[in-house]
């Protein structure tokens, strides 16, 4: 099994930066042991103008047969048919497993040596000479083209000497596009076994977690996400339902950043949910989802407060909770939502069952409504209401206000909500409509400011406002953020700043 990833560059941005991103030095040929055989990584070309990294998986078909069914009480198969297959030659889920093992850090988008590199979109070419494609070249295009790839999928003839026999089920795949290396690897990790449609290992609940992690940021909005999930999980009905449920929650949460025509199609155009980042020296940088920008702004606001115990109120599927748990300064993180389904999705996204004991001790998931006072919410340093208030009917906002600012009374509160003025910049959003059908209102900057100032005055807080996303000189930023600090918290923050 063979796969190559190539990029081009110049003196300002050499193509050999690919080595930093993959964490494999171009001057070395490395070998890694996998369950299917030996994986080799080497660079056929490593120059300033062009660099190609190759992954060769040398499959041991005899070992695969010996390991098949081990420990499951399966009856031995004495026929030769079990040894006669395409596994040593055609790309399959076995290569996807090798990708995940060999390029684990690259898939996560980390590069300690050059931390600025993972966010840069590079001109990439991916080639797979023999790929089983159930459904043919058409399905290949349906899977990769929505992700921005230009696709060449050339059918491999069943026998070149007998063209009348027609094409085989294999294609020679060539993808070209400008994407981050992390995104490319995660997409290949999911879609290669989907095209093969034959998982070569036992399917468990862990596969749902792997799918959601690798699909983060692209799978929920993919037009073929049901096909992808079904094939990836080998059509295990319960696992498929769980994965689709989690993706639906993610899709609805992130659709707040993109105009929508109806609740069943909440993301009208994924590009609308992206905001461009400016690269230095003309280097192209991958568009950043507004949801990601918002999480970054929230984390920055919390750091400034010195909070160590934080509430995520209306936590949904746990996207923000996952980022909060990465901050080791936070000793306790609580996620609350009125939806049991959302909490179950957060539980799965966060991998609570696999967390070490110390990690589980920092996290608490609770069900509750912000329409009522809740003694469980008292005594925390900070609370976050991320894209929550616009889902509440205006007559019920005073109840939420009292439950959070009056009864729970955290030292700091971070509130984010859409800026209605920015809606004119969404090309797909008809005039006068909200970004999401479930939004009860969307405020202008003046309206949000008036509400926030009144809340702060009533409950002893001071408030400051920050833009999230590109700050348009005419209509402001797409998201507006308010940071409320209680008078006692302001004293603490002042002391920390003085130190």
């Amino acid at each position: 099994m063979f796969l190559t990833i190539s990029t081009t560059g110049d003196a300002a941005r050499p193509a050999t930066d690919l080595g930093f991103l993959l964490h494999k030095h171009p001057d070395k040929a490395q070998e890694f042991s996998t369950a299917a055989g030996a994986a080799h990584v080497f660079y056929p070309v490593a120059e300033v103008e062009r660099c190609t990294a190759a992954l060769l998986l040398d499959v041991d078909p005899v070992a695969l047969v010996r390991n098949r069914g081990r420990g499951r009480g399966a009856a031995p198969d004495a026929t030769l048919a079990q040894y006669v297959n395409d596994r040593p030659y055609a790309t399959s889920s076995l290569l996807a497993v090798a990708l995940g093992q060999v390029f684990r850090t690259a898939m996560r988008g980390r590069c300690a040596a050059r931390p600025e590199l993972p966010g840069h979109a590079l001109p990439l070419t991916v080639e797979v000479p023999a790929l089983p494609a159930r459904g043919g070249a058409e399905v290949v295009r349906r899977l990769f083209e929505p992700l921005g790839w230009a696709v060449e999928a050339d059918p491999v003839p069943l026998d070149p000497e007998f063209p009348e026999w027609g094409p085989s089920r294999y294609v020679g795949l060539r993808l070209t596009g400008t994407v981050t290396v992390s995104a490319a690897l995660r997409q290949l990790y999911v879609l290669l076994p989907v095209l093969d449609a034959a998982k070569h290992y036992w399917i468990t609940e862990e596969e749902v977690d792997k799918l959601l992690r690798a699909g983060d940021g692209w799978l929920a909005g993919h037009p073929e996400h049901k096909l992808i999930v079904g094939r990836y999980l080998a059509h295990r009905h319960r696992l498929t339902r769980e994965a689709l449920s989690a993706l639906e929650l993610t899709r609805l949460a992130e659709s707040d950043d993109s105009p929508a025509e109806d609740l069943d199609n909440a993301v009208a155009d994924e590009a609308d949910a992206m905001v461009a980042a400016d690269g230095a020296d003309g280097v192209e940088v991958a568009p950043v989802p507004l949801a990601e920008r918002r999480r970054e702004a929230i984390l920055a606001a919390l750091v400034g407060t010195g909070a160590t115990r934080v509430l995520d109120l209306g936590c949904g599927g746990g996207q923000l909770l996952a980022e909060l748990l990465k901050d080791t300064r936070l000793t306790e993180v609580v996620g609350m939502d009125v939806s049991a389904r959302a909490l179950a999705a957060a539980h799965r996204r966060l991998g609570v069952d696999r967390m070490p004991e110390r990690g589980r001790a920092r996290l608490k998931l609770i069900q509750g409504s912000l329409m009522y006072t809740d003694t469980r919410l008292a005594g925390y340093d900070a609370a976050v209401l991320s894209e929550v208030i616009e889902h509440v009917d205006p007559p019920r906002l005073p109840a939420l206000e009292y439950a959070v600012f009056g009864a729970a009374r955290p030292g700091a509160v971070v509130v984010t909500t859409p800026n209605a003025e920015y809606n004119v910049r969404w090309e797909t959003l008809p005039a006068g409509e909200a970004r999401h059908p479930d939004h009860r209102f969307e405020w202008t900057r003046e309206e949000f400011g008036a509400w926030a100032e009144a809340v702060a005055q009533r409950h002893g807080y001071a408030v400051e406002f920050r833009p999230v996303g590109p700050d348009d000189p005419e209509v402001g930023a797409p998201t507006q953020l308010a940071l409320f600090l209680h008078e006692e918290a302001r004293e603490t923050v002042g002391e920390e700043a003085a130190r």
Side-chain angles (χ1 to χ4, degrees):
M1 299 183 188
F2 190 63
L3 176 148
T4 61
I5 302 176
S6 304
T7 188
T8 56
D10 51 35
R13 187 192 59 77
T16 48
D17 281 352
L18 184 63
F20 287 101
L21 290 165
L22 296 177
H23 298 265
K24 303 294 181 287
H25 200 287
D27 292 340
K28 298 179 181 178
Q30 296 177 266
E31 179 178 334
F32 304 87
S33 177
T34 75
H40 305 269
V41 178
F42 56 96
Y43 289 77
V45 179
E47 300 173 351
V48 171
E49 294 80 13
R50 183 173 180 81
C51 184
T52 297
L55 173 63
L56 171 66
L57 180 59
D58 187 9
V59 176
D60 184 349
V62 176
L64 287 179
V65 172
R66 288 174 178 168
N67 291 332
R68 183 184 302 163
R70 180 175 293 176
R72 307 192 200 287
D77 185 352
T79 69
L80 289 176
Q82 58 182 331
Y83 294 96
V84 182
N85 56 56
D86 63 354
R87 298 307 96 186
Y89 316 107
T91 297
S92 68
S93 59
L94 298 177
L95 186 64
V97 172
L99 273 174
Q101 180 176 333
V102 174
F103 297 130
R104 181 182 296 111
T105 305
M107 286 177 63
R108 293 175 179 172
R110 299 176 184 172
C111 182
R114 299 278 300 278
E116 77 284 359
L117 286 182
H120 290 173
L122 303 181
L124 297 180
T125 300
V126 178
E127 295 184 84
V128 182
L131 174 65
R134 183 177 170 188
E138 179 186 354
V139 170
V140 177
R141 286 189 286 270
R142 282 165 52 193
L143 294 182
F144 282 103
E145 285 181 349
L147 300 173
W149 294 100
V151 179
E152 297 177 37
D154 299 323
V156 177
L158 195 61
D159 190 326
E161 296 185 8
F162 299 93
E164 64 272 15
W165 289 4
S168 67
R169 70 186 188 98
Y170 304 92
V171 299
L173 178 65
R174 178 184 173 89
L175 304 172
T176 55
T178 302
V179 296
T180 64
V181 169
S182 171
L185 291 174
R186 289 187 291 111
Q187 291 162 11
L188 291 167
Y189 177 82
V190 172
L191 296 181
L192 291 181
V194 165
L195 284 166
D196 186 24
K199 297 280 266 188
H200 298 93
Y201 47 86
W202 194 249
I203 305 296
T204 66
E205 289 192 353
E206 289 187 1
E207 293 303 301
V208 177
D209 301 328
K210 293 176 183 177
L211 174 63
L212 295 177
R213 285 197 298 270
D216 189 30
W218 64 270
L219 181 54
H222 197 293
E224 300 290 347
H225 68 277
K226 291 183 179 179
L227 171 67
I228 294 170
V229 171
R231 285 193 179 184
Y232 186 89
L233 298 173
H235 300 288
R236 300 290 197 273
H237 296 303
R238 181 177 62 83
L239 300 181
T240 299
R241 285 196 304 270
E242 291 180 6
L244 289 175
S245 177
L247 288 174
E248 178 67 8
L249 285 168
T250 299
R251 186 177 68 86
L252 291 176
E254 295 188 350
S255 68
D256 281 356
D257 305 321
S258 178
E261 295 179 1
D262 55 67
L263 193 58
D264 293 328
N265 186 24
V267 180
D269 183 354
E270 186 176 347
D272 285 339
M274 302 290 189
V275 286
D278 296 325
D281 300 325
V283 175
E284 184 174 358
V285 179
V288 181
L290 183 54
E292 183 176 331
R293 288 254 181 128
R294 184 167 53 244
R295 289 192 289 269
E296 292 173 353
I298 291 170
L299 294 172
L302 290 174
V303 167
T305 69
T308 59
R309 302 173 68 238
V310 177
L311 300 164
D312 181 5
L313 304 177
C315 64
Q319 291 91 334
L320 178 60
L321 288 174
E323 298 301 319
L324 292 171
L325 289 171
K326 293 177 184 178
D327 190 340
T328 56
R329 290 169 295 191
L330 301 182
T331 59
E332 185 177 357
V333 176
V334 177
M336 188 181 89
D337 203 281
V338 71
S339 168
R341 178 185 172 200
L343 291 172
H347 187 281
R348 175 171 295 283
R349 173 185 289 273
L350 299 172
V352 176
D353 293 335
R354 301 188 309 278
M355 276 186 180
E357 184 176 350
R358 181 177 297 179
R360 284 198 301 270
R362 295 173 60 216
L363 174 67
K364 186 185 298 182
L365 298 175
I366 60 176
Q367 187 174 11
S369 170
L370 294 175
M371 296 299 102
Y372 308 97
T373 59
D374 192 330
T375 56
R376 296 174 298 176
L377 306 183
Y380 284 85
D381 300 328
V384 178
L385 292 163
S386 177
E387 308 301 282
V388 170
I389 61 172
E390 65 272 13
H391 293 272
V392 178
D393 289 315
R396 305 188 74 185
L397 277 177
L400 177 147
E401 173 191 332
Y402 179 75
V404 175
F405 294 90
R409 209 173 184 79
V413 181
V414 180
V415 179
T416 70
T417 192
N419 170 22
E421 296 169 74
Y422 194 87
N423 288 353
V424 297
R425 297 294 186 255
W426 301 123
E427 295 181 1
T428 60
L429 182 63
E433 291 194 13
R435 298 183 195 177
H436 191 279
D438 191 53
H439 286 183
R440 298 331 195 236
F441 61 85
E442 287 178 358
W443 279 333
T444 65
R445 288 170 290 174
E446 182 179 356
E447 290 169 329
F448 181 53
W451 176 82
E453 293 284 2
V455 169
Q457 186 174 6
R458 282 192 290 267
H459 299 284
Y461 286 82
V463 62
E464 64 175 84
F465 301 93
R466 302 178 183 180
V468 179
D471 198 359
D472 189 289
E474 296 181 1
V475 298
T479 295
Q480 41 193 341
L481 180 150
L483 172 60
F484 297 81
L485 285 175
H486 196 267
E487 53 187 11
E488 297 175 1
R490 292 202 301 274
E491 294 175 3
T492 302
V493 171
E495 292 173 359
E496 291 291 333
R499 287 211 237 357

